[in-house]
Amino acid sequence: MSEPVHSPGTDPGAAAAVAGIETVACIGAGVIGGGWVAYFLARGYRVRAWDPAPDAHTKLRRTIDAAWPALTELGLAPGADPDALEMAPTAADAVDGAGFVQESAPEDLDLKRALLAELAAATGDDVVVASSTSGYPMSDMATAAADPSRLVVGHPFNPPYLIPLVEVVGGRDTAPWAVSRAAAFYRHVGKSVIEMDRELPGFIANRLQEAIWREALHMVAQGEATVEQIDLSITDGPGLRWPVHGPCLTFHLAGGEGGMGHMLDHFGPSLKSPWTRLEAPELTGRLRDDMVAGAHASAGGRDMATLVAERDRAIIAVTRAVAAAREAGHA
Amino acid sequence: MSEPVHSPGTDPGAAAAVAGIETVACIGAGVIGGGWVAYFLARGYRVRAWDPAPDAHTKLRRTIDAAWPALTELGLAPGADPDALEMAPTAADAVDGAGFVQESAPEDLDLKRALLAELAAATGDDVVVASSTSGYPMSDMATAAADPSRLVVGHPFNPPYLIPLVEVVGGRDTAPWAVSRAAAFYRHVGKSVIEMDRELPGFIANRLQEAIWREALHMVAQGEATVEQIDLSITDGPGLRWPVHGPCLTFHLAGGEGGMGHMLDHFGPSLKSPWTRLEAPELTGRLRDDMVAGAHASAGGRDMATLVAERDRAIIAVTRAVAAAREAGHA
């Protein structure tokens, strides 16, 4: 499960290959699939959607209409048209002529297996089929496909029309070019892409998010904190730092001038404390050094004073932005 | 350890008692203690500080000067003066005449025990001594104090002059009025306060933050993700939602119209998935119902459409705020 399946990297051929795509097929039009439809329309694509629910078109229209003001505010691509949408009677019809396929069906492994096999069979040799799955490895989902080489995970975050992150990873039988092409396409449409070199249950962000969520459930179950206290502890606490610096860079700053190295050498023993129900790994010399090197890479050449100033500016601006967004709802 | 020690609540007597405080003593003037000094000065207090380091005054001056532009931008209290600071030769001198004491010494249990005992002995019967400790329970820190009734944890987040959250909790021998008074004082100076009714290692926010951190360390140790990927997965992903809606309210929105109830009924099985190394609690009917009730409390009367609109406005504003803060550093 943690064997590398693909060496990520920017592939100029992949970038060229995605530039000509004009139509995207969206399979499944619920909260996530509908969000993808709105996003692709805003980026100027024609979208062909399929969803077996009888009221799918009505709901999808509502999703697009609700998202459009935000997308307009962010800036539409030239020619972007909220009506450049066609509902297809079948999944095969939806992907016919599409240059990229985004599958966002319910999280049901058997359903995903059958659907991805159908989509792989109905698409051309150069069309990538990406799944929005929030946790299944493609190696488990691709088992029914005659040709699994073009099946890729392209995992978005809710709402897909606003959160930039997409996690891209192939399965055991995915061709490296398909992973590169999916990553290139998402970058081309303005997404922030993490190209993973190996499959990992929950990918990266969901593993981190799920660790918080499980600790929160334990705390409520044990009467240690209320839901409101948990939410407030994040929104008014570390949550204000995370949009600008991730958890590792945040701890790099906590180390003062000594950065991550000082932090680990100094606060390393707190890893033994029962501060969460998650057991920590042993802080080996190798892990320490990897974290220090990683923090410097994450800092990308910004020195500590620059990072601190950036953090402070961002916290003030984020605090104000959130207050204004809450206030607007009461107006 | 998880027995309730105090029933939190807003105490009008406590609010009145803190209104007359004019001088705050800050014991320890490192990154956290210095941040507290800057904050109290900006809120119009006179501060008496003590720190045994020979260069403490110089460093503290630098911390205040670095924080002052941000504090000015946020709005100073009338009469706020960055020079209303006096360095005291001893801890006892620093607390002499102070109406509130904030202790931010290094995280060393023996040191904290001796220092808190000294501070309790040197302060008047109505003065609360609050510790910035990031993890020690007050019941463990108060053991050397002749009178532990006024010793309280007041745990801030870095930087204390910008992050609103303060977690307040007493120890076994802390008087309830002292917890109420500490909470009232922090609220009075503009902090966002969580008043905990029981001791818990790491309090609330650090437990959640630590769960993410430990999962991140495991991932780097196993070669599953790089530090850069981990940071990017948060800053460009769920980190954009957390300043406006905490982890529970975020999942309430993920449930669509059905909210938290639908989310748990639908995605409950993913708690069995190996999406993190932290084992989930059993999702009992009671826990489900507590989470649903808690989500509604956390939503505070805002219906789903309002929450979604608020989230979207906030994500756009936060994204722009962070981009501008990063950009300003390159100017």
Side-chain angles (χ1 to χ4, degrees), chain A residues 173-249:
Chain A
D173 300 318
T174 304
W177 72 261
V179 178
S180 300
R181 194 169 296 187
F185 179 67
Y186 289 127
R187 288 196 184 99
H188 184 71
V189 301
K191 288 295 184 185
S192 176
V193 175
I194 293 182
E195 212 174 326
M196 296 173 67
D197 71 356
R198 69 195 69 197
E199 298 190 284
L200 188 65
F203 316 117
I204 297 175
N206 269 351
R207 288 186 80 84
L208 302 169
Q209 187 171 227
E210 186 79 7
I212 275 203
W213 173 236
R214 290 182 186 189
E215 186 63 38
L217 287 174
H218 277 294
M219 291 172 80
V220 173
Q222 295 300 313
E224 296 164 347
T226 67
V227 168
E228 281 181 278
Q229 288 177 324
I230 287 164
D231 278 347
L232 188 68
S233 82
I234 297 298
T235 58
D236 289 25
L240 292 168
R241 301 183 298 214
W242 281 326
V244 60
H245 296 152
C248 301
L249 208 48

Side-chain angles (χ1 to χ4, degrees), chain A residues 94-153:
Chain A
V95 303
D96 186 29
F100 190 84
V101 179
Q102 185 76 40
E103 172 272 308
S104 311
E107 287 294 289
D108 175 318
L109 186 55
D110 289 336
L111 188 159
K112 294 266 197 200
R113 279 178 173 153
L115 185 57
L116 288 169
E118 182 186 351
L119 295 172
T123 42
D125 282 353
D126 61 344
V127 176
V128 172
V129 176
S131 173
S132 299
T133 181
S134 46
Y136 292 126
M138 184 50 82
S139 294
D140 291 349
M141 293 192 295
T143 51
D147 172 16
S149 69
R150 294 174 285 108
L151 298 178
V152 172
V153 167

